[in-house]
């Protein structure tokens, strides 16, 4: 992944000293974690150079020997959170990294971007809902690339209809897409991508997640439930909700975005109940993490929550689309704080309009799909 990022830097702007310092810091962090498992550094950044040779022609990532009995497991989570401290702060002003050129279907435009997925190479995949396509926006690019759909609205295998969400399945090198308008979930190859295949049908899909065992989780808005699907399975198993639409602890009402943690607990943004629920593996009822059935514009309650994430310290991040902001709730603290979007609805750099989803890159920078402004905003981690 580091080698791929270096190639991206070479292609766009070349490698400079700041890039090298950043990559070396990242490698130190990786080695610190891997050393616990293999008792020795695993990779290093070689910067063999002279005054006559450009660094960006000589840098490469070298793999070092590891224990013979150690194998890296195939881990494929739908999101991977960086370490974020309790006192972290983000820039008040965001930077537009995709879209931002008005509503439209050109390659530098978006039309109602909803779900987003930030890849390890810092490319961002966007469910471009009203353009019926999935876009990939590379780091630093001025325009995106259509990687799924883009052939008009329809139900052929080379078309999409109002896609809501997208994740990358690393092991099969494919995209998994909530093709909401067609009531189906599709798998779309990232290479040779002229069309996809239907893997789940007859489902009002709103959100997707994948755990580290290659198991897919899908939220179903109509049936107020979340199901888990083993590879190749068509019917799935209910893991949250499934007891009709309602506000009891064993019910959901409008399950939207979902995430799955390393313990296989499922977090659900329970949109119409104005709360985020946690369903532990095998549980018959969920636990209210934040919010309640009441919708209020304060820092305790939620209003129609959408995108959610949980960091390694247990802090919950929630997109409150109707109040045009992103909130952070630290573990065991009922009152949240606004981390971006504190200036009300608008199109300025410090404002959002009907935000929908969020993601972090490995440096802790926050990405938000700013639906009402047809753009993706990035807010840099300041501390």
């Amino acid at each position: 992944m580091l080698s791929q990022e270096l190639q991206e830097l070479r292609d766009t702007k070349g490698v400079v000293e700041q890039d090298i310092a950043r990559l070396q810091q990242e490698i130190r962090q990786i080695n610190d974690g891997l050393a616990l498992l293999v008792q020795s550094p695993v990779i290093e950044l070689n910067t063999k150079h002279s005054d006559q040779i450009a660094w960006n022609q000589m840098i490469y990532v070298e793999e070092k020997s590891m224990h013979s009995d150690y194998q890296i497991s195939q881990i494929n989570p739908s999101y991977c959170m960086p370490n974020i401290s309790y006192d972290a702060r983000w820039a008040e002003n965001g930077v537009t990294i995709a879209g931002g050129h008005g509503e439209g279907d050109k390659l530098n435009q978006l039309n109602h971007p909803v779900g987003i997925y930030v890849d390890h190479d810092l490319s961002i995949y966007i469910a471009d809902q009203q353009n019926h396509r999935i876009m990939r926006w590379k780091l630093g690019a001025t325009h995106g690339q259509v990687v799924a759909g883009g052939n008009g609205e329809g139900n052929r295998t080379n078309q999409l209809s109002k896609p809501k969400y997208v994740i990358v399945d690393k092991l099969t090198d494919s995209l998994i897409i909530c093709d909401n308008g067609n009531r189906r979930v599709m798998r779309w190859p990232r290479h040779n991508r002229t069309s996809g295949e239907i893997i789940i049908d007859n489902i009002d899909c709103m959100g997707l997640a994948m755990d580290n065992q290659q198991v897919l989780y899908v939220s179903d808005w109509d049936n107020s439930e979340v199901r888990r699907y083993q590879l190749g399975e068509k019917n799935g198993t209910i893991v949250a909700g499934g007891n009709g639409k309602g506000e009891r602890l064993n019910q959901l009402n409008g399950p939207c975005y979902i995430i799955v943690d390393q313990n296989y607990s499922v977090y659900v943004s329970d949109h119409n109940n104005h709360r985020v629920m946690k369903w532990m593996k095998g549980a018959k009822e969920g636990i209210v993490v934040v919010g309640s059935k009441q919708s209020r514009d304060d820092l305790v309650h939620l209003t129609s929550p959408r995108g959610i994430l949980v960091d390694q310290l247990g802090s919950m991040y929630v997109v409150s689309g109707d109040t045009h902001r992103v909130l952070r709730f630290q573990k065991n603290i009922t009152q949240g704080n606004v981390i971006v979007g504190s200036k009300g609805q608008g199109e300025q750099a410090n404002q959002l309009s009907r935000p929908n989803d969020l993601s972090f890159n490995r440096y802790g920078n926050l990405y938000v799909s700013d639906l009402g402004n047809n753009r993706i905003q990035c807010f840099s981690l300041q501390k």
Side-chain angles (χ1 to χ4, degrees):
M1 289 182 290
L2 291 171
S3 294
Q4 186 174 357
E5 182 180 350
L6 283 166
Q7 186 60 53
E8 296 276 355
L9 290 168
R10 292 180 185 129
D11 292 344
T12 56
K13 64 176 182 180
V15 180
V16 297
E17 291 190 30
Q18 294 92 325
D19 295 317
I20 292 170
R22 174 174 56 79
L23 291 167
Q24 286 175 326
Q25 174 63 28
E26 181 180 352
I27 288 170
R28 282 194 290 271
Q29 293 173 353
I30 293 171
N31 282 332
D32 288 344
L34 290 174
L36 297 175
L37 298 175
V38 301
Q39 288 83 48
S40 64
V42 176
I43 55 177
E44 66 180 20
L45 184 67
N46 282 333
T47 54
K48 300 174 183 177
H49 64 281
S50 71
D51 292 341
Q52 289 77 37
I53 301 177
W55 281 13
N56 66 322
Q57 300 300 316
M58 296 301 295
I59 299 172
Y60 61 94
V61 176
E62 178 181 341
E63 296 185 8
K64 307 293 285 187
S65 63
M66 300 189 296
H67 271 246
S68 59
D69 59 350
Y70 175 73
Q71 294 182 342
I72 298 177
S73 62
Q74 293 181 323
I75 297 177
N76 193 23
S78 56
Y79 81 105
C80 186
M81 288 289 295
N83 286 313
I84 297 177
S85 65
Y86 279 124
D87 59 350
R89 297 290 184 272
W90 287 264
E92 182 177 299
N93 291 337
V95 175
T96 301
I97 60 168
H101 297 281
E103 179 182 300
D105 60 3
K106 296 179 182 177
L107 292 180
N108 68 344
Q109 293 179 305
L110 298 168
N111 189 347
H112 286 62
V114 279
I116 56 176
Y117 179 100
V118 178
D119 206 357
H120 292 293
D121 65 357
L122 304 186
S123 294
I124 183 168
Y125 291 85
I126 306 163
D128 191 11
Q129 179 178 267
Q130 296 304 113
N131 283 325
H132 316 292
R133 65 190 184 185
I134 305 297
M135 299 289 287
R136 182 191 182 206
W137 225 283
K138 293 184 180 181
L139 177 66
T142 58
H143 62 274
Q145 174 188 16
V146 179
V147 293
N151 296 304
E153 183 178 11
N155 60 7
R156 299 196 308 267
T157 56
N158 69 341
Q159 293 178 303
L160 298 170
S161 175
K162 298 180 176 62
K164 294 286 189 183
Y165 209 79
V166 58
I167 60 175
V168 175
D169 182 352
K170 297 290 186 180
L171 297 186
T172 62
D173 195 26
S174 61
L175 305 175
I176 301 179
I177 303 166
C178 265
D179 188 16
N180 180 265
N182 286 318
R183 298 182 59 84
R184 65 190 184 185
V185 178
M186 299 197 73
R187 184 185 299 277
W188 207 292
R190 287 208 285 178
H191 300 284
N192 190 25
R193 50 180 178 263
T194 56
S195 65
E197 63 170 324
I198 302 168
I199 57 175
I200 304 170
D201 58 10
N202 193 29
I203 185 169
D204 190 15
C205 173
M206 293 293 290
L208 295 169
M210 182 171 281
D211 68 21
N212 58 13
Q213 299 297 316
Q214 194 73 2
V215 176
L216 182 65
Y217 298 73
V218 185
S219 62
D220 186 336
W221 181 280
D222 274 356
N223 292 316
S224 297
E225 65 188 23
V226 178
R227 286 182 178 260
R228 178 182 66 220
Y229 294 83
Q230 303 284 346
L231 189 63
E233 190 177 12
K234 290 292 185 180
N235 295 321
T237 302
I238 296 174
V239 294
N243 295 296
K245 185 181 297 184
E247 60 186 36
R248 298 196 308 268
L249 292 180
N250 68 344
Q251 293 179 305
L252 299 168
N253 186 355
C256 196
Y257 295 141
I258 54 178
I259 55 174
V260 182
D261 68 17
Q262 61 185 2
N263 297 315
Y264 309 107
S265 295
V266 179
Y267 294 80
V268 187
S269 58
D270 193 9
H271 185 271
N272 293 335
N273 282 327
H274 312 293
R275 65 190 184 185
V276 176
M277 300 286 288
K278 177 182 179 180
W279 293 67
M280 300 179 70
K281 184 178 181 180
K284 300 300 182 184
E285 291 185 345
I287 302 166
V288 179
V289 182
V290 294
S292 71
K293 62 184 179 182
Q294 296 176 322
S295 171
R296 295 179 185 171
D297 185 8
D298 58 31
L299 297 180
V300 175
H301 298 81
L302 295 175
T303 302
S304 304
R306 293 176 172 83
I308 55 173
L309 286 175
V310 179
D311 68 22
Q312 297 181 30
L313 295 177
S315 296
M316 169 69 67
Y317 301 80
V318 186
V319 173
S320 180
D322 290 353
T323 57
H324 317 290
R325 60 194 185 185
V326 178
L327 300 170
R328 183 190 194 195
F329 294 83
Q330 294 182 344
K331 189 175 182 179
N332 299 324
I333 298 177
T334 58
Q335 180 168 311
N337 63 290
V338 180
I339 59 173
V340 297
S342 61
K343 302 299 182 181
Q345 183 179 14
E347 60 183 20
Q348 302 303 313
N350 61 356
Q351 294 178 305
L352 300 170
S353 177
R354 291 182 291 145
N356 220 271
D357 196 18
L358 76 166
S359 186
F360 287 93
N361 67 16
R362 60 179 177 267
Y363 307 114
N365 298 330
L366 173 64
Y367 296 74
V368 181
S369 60
D370 191 11
L371 182 148
N373 289 317
N374 297 297
R375 66 188 183 184
I376 308 299
Q377 294 291 91
C378 180
F379 298 86
S380 299
L381 180 65
Q382 301 294 290
K383 181 178 180 181

